[in-house]
Amino acid sequence: MKINVKIDAGTFEGQQIIDYLKAFPDTVTFEVPTLNEPQQEYITQPKPSTAIPSNYVPAEEFRTEAKKRAKALLEKHGLHS
């Protein structure tokens, strides 16, 4: 099945649709030959950092220390039973 669609390339939304459709060169063709060329999509991914900072504290150790400090603060002010 062939469907002709008119898209207003002068609008932001129209340009987004055209850019999306360019990702399917085997299925979608354009009347303007330059738009039929496949477009490579570049997706940047952040580099994973494997270095652990020197001041890193594991979650369980942090929780234990936080509870200990909270309890001491409450006892100091007479709020802990």
Side-chain angles (χ1 to χ4, degrees):
M1 178 188 326
K2 184 176 180 179
I3 299 173
N4 292 327
V5 178
K6 290 186 179 184
I7 300 170
D8 184 4
T11 64
F12 177 73
E13 292 82 4
Q15 193 58 48
Q16 280 185 318
I17 292 169
I18 291 171
D19 291 341
Y20 176 76
L21 292 174
K22 284 181 184 179
F24 307 99
D26 297 336
T27 309
V28 178
T29 58
F30 295 93
E31 287 181 353
V32 180
T34 56
L35 292 176
N36 286 323
E37 298 173 5
Q39 303 293 317
Q40 188 170 3
E41 192 172 315
Y42 294 98
I43 300 174
T44 58
Q45 297 178 350
K47 272 188 170 179
S49 177
T50 57
I52 298 173
S54 61
N55 61 346
Y56 175 78
V57 178
E60 195 55 45
E61 186 178 327
F62 177 81
R63 245 184 242 114
T64 305
E65 185 63 28
K67 285 179 183 179
K68 204 184 315 179
R69 288 183 183 187
K71 185 177 179 180
L73 181 69
L74 291 173
E75 285 175 351
K76 177 182 174 184
H77 294 286
L79 301 171
H80 188 266
S81 53

